[in-house]
């Protein structure tokens, strides 16, 4: 007699602490984009970015919950733990950025209208959504010595952070072609982003096993090289951007000075990230060594 396939439901997908954090993230991101959509005031690149962030995180997190609830994720040709860890880290960074950008761009003082109240509630929901994703990152982070899923370790999470910060740097770049020092800095940002992004994609796609050299030693070498390259960018970018120039008195919201200053700080953030990454990846190699 033929047997019918019965769908398996894994209730732990929504009852575990990780599942509860994801449920909160789904609800809070839905509240954020729904309230902002009801105001009809989210035009321009910053508003579009915030709406995309909330909608994207809502859709992917809901998809993750459904796939885990129905236990369909083992059929996917990817490392599920690496994917969910990388996405939780990315979502936390994106929602944090939106929680800062949206109120600073769209909420004006005094805040007394119903439209402003909805924007304020949306901002609060976005901040709580960031906390939900941060909680998920903390709950799924691998314990010291456990590298079963690389992107859930500290070096793996830092890879997502480094790639995201590089994307923020690219969004702020405008005039840099006139000076060789600035062109070198852009080359540093681009090369490090491409390699870091490939490491993330290869890890999720389970392609690292086909590499002819050990991942851990490759990471130590790459992190050392990236750290040295970012060190030069940390010196050269502000040197060539601000030497002999003061902030123009007529600087508006999209002033080149503010954008270059933002790139300077983001470069420092990534320099620190690659330094911590080098320390942790080096410890991983020595811990695993016999």
């Amino acid at each position: 007699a033929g047997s019918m396939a019965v769908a398996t439901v894994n209730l732990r997908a929504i009852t575990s602490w990780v599942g509860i954090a994801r449920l909160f993230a789904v609800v809070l991101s839905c509240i954020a984009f729904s309230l902002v959509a009801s105001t009809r005031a989210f035009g321009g690149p910053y508003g579009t970015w915030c709406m995309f962030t909330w909608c994207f995180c809502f859709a992917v997190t809901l998809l993750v919950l459904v796939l885990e609830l129905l236990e369909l994720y083992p059929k996917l040709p990817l490392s599920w733990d690496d994917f969910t860890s990388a996405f939780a880290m990315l979502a936390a960074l994106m929602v944090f950025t939106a929680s800062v950008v949206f109120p600073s761009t769209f909420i004006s003082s005094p805040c007394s209208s119903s439209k402003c109240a909805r924007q304020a509630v949306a901002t609060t929901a976005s901040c709580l959504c960031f906390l939900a994703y941060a909680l998920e990152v903390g709950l799924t982070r691998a314990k010291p010595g456990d590298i079963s899923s690389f992107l859930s370790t500290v070096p793996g999470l830092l890879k997502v952070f480094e790639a995201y910060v590089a994307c923020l740097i690219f969004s702020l770049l405008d005039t840099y072609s006139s000076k060789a020092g600035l062109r070198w800095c852009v080359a540093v940002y681009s090369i490090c982003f491409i390699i870091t992004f490939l490491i993330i994609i290869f890890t999720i796609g389970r392609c690292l096993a086909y590499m002819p050299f050990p991942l851990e030693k490759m990471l130590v070498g790459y992190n050392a090289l990236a750290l040295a390259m970012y060190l030069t960018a940390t010196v050269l970018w502000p040197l060539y951007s601000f030497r002999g120039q003061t902030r123009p008195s007529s600087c508006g919201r999209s002033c080149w000075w503010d954008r270059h200053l933002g790139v300077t700080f983001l470069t420092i953030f990534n320099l620190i990230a690659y330094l911590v990454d080098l320390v942790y990846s080096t410890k991983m190699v020595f811990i695993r060594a016999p």
Side-chain angles (χ1 to χ4, degrees), residues 63-104:
L63 179 63
V64 168
L65 280 171
V66 171
L67 291 175
E68 291 209 346
L69 186 65
L70 301 179
E71 292 195 335
L72 297 174
Y73 63 90
K75 303 180 185 299
L76 300 176
L78 51 82
S79 173
W80 184 251
D81 289 340
D82 283 311
F83 169 74
T84 53
S85 296
F87 170 73
M89 183 66 176
L90 176 63
L93 294 169
M94 291 176 68
V95 173
F96 175 78
T97 306
S99 301
V100 174
V101 169
F102 181 77
S104 62

Side-chain angles (χ1 to χ4, degrees), residues 48-70:
T48 303
W49 161 254
C50 294
M51 284 293 284
F52 167 77
T53 293
W54 295 318
C55 294
F56 171 74
C57 293
F58 167 81
V60 177
T61 307
L62 184 61
L63 179 63
V64 168
L65 280 171
V66 171
L67 291 175
E68 291 209 346
L69 186 65
L70 301 179

Side-chain angles (χ1 to χ4, degrees), residues 1-7:
S3 59
M4 294 181 63
V6 180

Side-chain angles (χ1 to χ4, degrees), residues 111-148:
C111 183
S112 56
S113 63
S114 62
K115 170 185 167 183
C116 186
R118 280 177 284 171
Q119 291 174 328
V121 174
T123 301
T124 303
S126 184
C127 293
L128 293 174
C129 185
F130 159 70
L131 293 178
Y133 281 118
L135 176 62
E136 182 184 346
V137 171
L139 291 171
T140 57
R141 186 172 68 83
K143 304 298 184 292
D146 177 19
I147 58 169
S148 55

